[in-house]
Amino acid sequence: MTERPLVLLDVDGVLNPARRATLRHRRHDIVLDGRTFRVLLSARQGRGLLALAEATGAELVWATTWEDHANTEIGPRLGLPPLPVIAVNGDPGSRAGEHFKTRHVAEYVAGRPFVWFDDSLGIADWEYLKDHPGVGDFLLVEVDPEDGLTDGDMTHAGDWLAARAAGVDDAGTCSPEPAP
């Protein structure tokens, strides 16, 4: 494989699940522009993402409304180094029912294969990416916002990336179905 694949990361609903703190997720109060955000984060997820990137040769990238704040407030709490950021804020919204981040992702990936972990993806996003010039192979992993990113989600992504690297025929553009 000549193109290094990407693993795109959302924060809220993915790395910051919408449930109460657990033994695995620690609560953090983050103050930005005078507002306090309560987030639940797990260093275990950070280690898992780093292992996924290393095992597959993928590059981790933020695809979140936290944008650059993800590198200063989220990444360090997960044990992640600074990552590239896809600028997604300031967009007026959907053109064809896709998530407002989808067009930014399509432009950013520039033909590189990618896995996108997000909790707000659906058929319109898959259709938009499938039909967008310059978007190659991709896997959308719709994460359950209550649970956040799971080991199963990461295994699904790792299997897809490994199959793609091995040249398996069915490793191409995926269906919009969630991970098993």
Side-chain angles (χ1 to χ4, degrees):
M1 174 171 36
T2 59
E3 300 172 321
R4 189 171 178 207
L6 302 168
V7 174
L8 309 182
L9 304 170
D10 183 28
V11 172
D12 295 318
V14 175
L15 299 175
N16 172 29
R19 59 182 156 88
R20 294 180 185 201
T22 66
L23 294 175
R24 289 189 179 178
H25 287 82
R26 184 172 164 230
R27 191 179 104 188
H28 302 271
D29 291 336
I30 298 173
V31 179
L32 297 175
D33 301 324
R35 293 182 56 199
T36 301
F37 298 89
R38 291 194 169 159
V39 297
L40 301 174
L41 299 172
S42 169
R44 183 174 180 264
Q45 285 179 329
R47 290 189 299 275
L49 288 165
L50 290 172
L52 173 65
E54 184 166 331
T56 62
E59 178 181 8
L60 300 174
V61 177
W62 294 117
T64 174
T65 56
W66 283 80
E67 289 188 343
D68 292 316
H69 293 297
N71 276 324
T72 58
E73 303 297 336
I74 304 300
R77 289 173 168 91
L78 295 173
L80 297 176
L83 306 176
V85 175
I86 299 173
V88 297
N89 289 327
D91 196 323
S94 164
R95 294 183 185 143
E98 78 280 358
H99 192 282
F100 72 91
K101 292 189 277 188
T102 302
R103 283 176 277 137
H104 300 287
V105 164
E107 295 301 320
Y108 184 88
V109 298
R112 292 168 69 181
F114 68 95
V115 171
W116 186 5
F117 292 119
D118 204 298
D119 65 316
S120 298
L121 301 174
I123 298 291
D125 302 291
W126 182 79
E127 289 286 338
Y128 184 91
L129 292 166
K130 178 181 66 70
D131 295 337
H132 193 278
V135 173
D137 294 343
F138 64 91
L139 173 68
L140 303 181
V141 180
E142 189 169 0
V143 175
D144 180 344
E146 288 297 313
D147 295 325
L149 187 65
T150 65
D151 291 343
D153 295 330
M154 285 195 268
T155 297
H156 182 54
D159 290 347
W160 184 85
L161 289 164
R164 189 192 175 290
V168 175
D169 287 342
D170 65 352
T173 303
C174 72
S175 70
E177 298 174 15

